[in-house]
Amino acid sequence: MNSRQTAASLPVIDMCKEAEINQKLISSIKLLRDDKGHKNNFGHVLICAGSETMTGALIMAVEAALRSGAGLVKAMAPSDALSPLRCSEPCAMTFPVDIDVNNQFDLTSFMKSLKEITAWADSVLIGPGIDSKNPLYKIILEYFIENASSLVIDASALDFFASDFAFFSRKLNSRRDNLLNPVIMTPHIGEFRRLIKDFECSGDELEQKARSFASDNNCILVLKSCKTVVSLPDGERYILDINNSGMAKGGSGDVLAGLLTGLCAQLDKNSDAALASVYLHSTAGIVAAERLGKRFMLPTDVVKYLGDAYKTVNWF
């Protein structure tokens, strides 16, 4: 477990506190880089993402993690998803996993490798573009919840919660006893409605349910929409209310998830990583919209302008 990050490092929070995510708040979070440091000083990131038909999700998440400043980023995915990644992101490491459970798959050997790679990682992401119909991913998700020091759950991995919520809720709460950081979950509003099985809920009621969800399940919940709401386990809530329709495109969430996981590997508090990633992702999106136009810009352009976002909070 990463000695810099423990459940005890999360502050005791006023249940009624609500604040805005803005430049001042994120500038107060210090993410320093020692020019004498090396790649093992800036965090190890593991990203379990992608599939044959969703290679882009893996690429965008990995690229954002690399651009977060993390020292090493390793992609865990089927071979047919890793091939395009190797061409587009040569700085990433790869961990090929061909997980067809019906094709002489050696589960014992796989679990041994999973244990080793999870121990190596300071932060883990699971979800973008994975095949949620493959039952092995449920095993992987369960192992990550039980063992990963810092864990981000996004996209397709959230489907497992919706199908077996009571089981995974117990797993989330058990992390507190094991001195592991609260899991960070990043659903958009449609995914969150599936989680809580309330498909009509909206507005303030939805945000209040997100707050309760974070408290009840010992997690950090990043509820994504035109307004992003970050709810912490102790009841504190932060809001970013900046509209940018240029971000309303497939892949924006993959970029956010990769950036968030990269920052988790570098910051002492996962709550800080959640707040910073939301702000920096939005700020880079604003720059992209200004320079390229909301209609023309792509989620991959948001990654390109993260450097401009870092400058706004003095992260050089």
Side-chain angles (χ1 to χ4, degrees), residues 56-101:
L58 172 64
I59 292 171
M60 286 183 281
V62 167
E63 183 179 13
L66 287 166
R67 295 292 187 178
S68 76
L72 290 170
V73 177
K74 184 173 290 188
M76 174 182 172
S79 295
D80 49 18
L82 289 177
S83 294
L85 176 72
R86 292 188 179 102
C87 296
S88 61
E89 295 299 334
C91 295
M93 305 164 67
T94 59
F95 180 71
V97 184
D98 294 309
I99 50 180
D100 182 356
V101 294

Side-chain angles (χ1 to χ4, degrees), residues 165-222:
F165 185 81
F167 172 79
F168 281 107
S169 178
R170 290 194 297 271
K171 292 292 182 182
L172 291 181
N173 278 291
S174 70
R175 286 177 64 88
R176 184 186 291 111
D177 296 332
N178 295 329
L179 300 181
L180 296 172
N181 288 302
V183 162
I184 305 174
M185 302 177 71
T186 56
H188 57 61
I189 55 175
E191 290 167 333
F192 183 64
R193 287 186 180 120
R194 289 199 296 273
L195 283 175
I196 62 174
K197 293 182 169 52
D198 186 341
F199 300 97
E200 303 299 326
C201 188
S202 62
D204 291 342
E205 183 183 4
L206 191 68
E207 293 176 16
Q208 289 297 333
K209 289 193 174 186
R211 194 175 206 166
S212 298
F213 184 99
S215 177
D216 293 344
N217 295 284
N218 182 41
C219 69
I220 298 171
L221 189 81
V222 180

